[in-house]
Amino acid sequence: MSTDQPATLRVAEPDPEESEGRRERILSAAAELFAAQGFDAAPTSRIAEQAGVPKGLLFYYFPRKRDILTTLLEERIPETPGLQAAQAVVAGDPAASLVRLADLVGLSRHESVVLRTILFRELGTLPEITTYVERLRRNLLTLTEDVVMGSAARPIPRETAHKIAQTFVAVLLDDANTQRYGGEGPDLRAAAEIMALAVDRCAAPL
């Protein structure tokens, strides 16, 4: 007896809620395993087992293991934070604005610790990670620069705002990196206050 399905036979569409739940379980399991073992050392069979789904279903959602990785980056630590500078700006107070920005971006939130572990662990070994981090840094620079410009009590040169943003973003990324292994990270508030002094020093005279 032939095991081929008739051409007219269609596989029933999965329930949307159940399908989304399975997909999220796969992503969560992959994130944990990539962080603990490394991308190359985490087999898809183990990801499927930890997610509680058949291996074939994993490939239904993600045809390649790298598709799981890129989806984690796009959905759980988006390279574009989805913020507008105005959401962080406290008029006339660059220090408070930078602190608010750091909180809104959320690189230090617990949810992203596992993903940050993947980012810094695989940086330089996987081109997807390297490209992602480069874009994340570039977008954070633009956003931070706009926050500095928008919060300054007096106008400052765009070039100066860019240099201040470079320094603060470096502090943000260092904080995200050290928190993943419980290290002593930088003092974001103190860094913001130092950046505010630089803004004031470079502002146009009254």
Side-chain angles (χ1 to χ4, degrees), residues 147-189:
V147 168
V148 170
M149 294 286 292
S151 62
R154 290 171 287 146
I156 65 171
R158 171 68 67 173
E159 181 181 355
T160 300
H162 180 71
K163 291 177 180 178
I164 292 171
Q166 285 180 313
T167 304
F168 193 71
V169 168
V171 173
L172 281 180
L173 294 176
D174 180 49
D175 181 59
N177 188 22
T178 54
Q179 284 198 32
R180 74 187 173 93
Y181 57 82
E184 183 180 353
D187 185 329
L188 287 179
R189 184 171 296 277

Side-chain angles (χ1 to χ4, degrees), residues 27-43:
L27 289 173
S28 295
E32 295 287 346
L33 290 170
F34 291 165
Q37 302 177 12
F39 177 80
D40 288 333

Side-chain angles (χ1 to χ4, degrees), residues 25-105:
R25 292 204 306 274
I26 292 169
L27 289 173
S28 295
E32 295 287 346
L33 290 170
F34 291 165
Q37 302 177 12
F39 177 80
D40 288 333
T44 52
S45 58
R46 183 73 184 92
I47 295 171
E49 179 185 352
Q50 186 157 317
V53 302
K55 186 176 178 180
L57 190 61
L58 181 148
F59 288 116
Y60 169 80
Y61 294 106
F62 305 102
R64 303 175 306 157
K65 188 164 75 165
R66 290 195 178 219
D67 294 329
I68 303 176
L69 177 65
T70 55
T71 302
L72 281 171
L73 297 178
E74 290 168 1
E75 296 185 5
R76 300 201 176 185
I77 306 186
E79 66 192 39
T80 304
L83 301 172
Q84 299 296 322
Q87 293 174 257
V89 167
V90 178
D93 193 340
S97 300
L98 290 172
V99 170
R100 180 181 290 182
L101 175 64
D103 182 61
L104 290 171
V105 169

Side-chain angles (χ1 to χ4, degrees), residues 72-135:
L72 281 171
L73 297 178
E74 290 168 1
E75 296 185 5
R76 300 201 176 185
I77 306 186
E79 66 192 39
T80 304
L83 301 172
Q84 299 296 322
Q87 293 174 257
V89 167
V90 178
D93 193 340
S97 300
L98 290 172
V99 170
R100 180 181 290 182
L101 175 64
D103 182 61
L104 290 171
V105 169
L107 289 180
S108 62
R109 280 196 283 272
H110 175 73
E111 179 183 280
S112 66
V113 171
V114 170
L115 296 174
R116 292 201 312 272
T117 299
I118 298 169
L119 287 182
F120 291 104
R121 180 176 192 159
E122 306 291 352
L123 185 61
T125 64
L126 295 173
E128 293 90 345
I129 295 288
T130 301
T131 300
Y132 169 84
V133 171
E134 288 174 350
R135 288 198 300 255

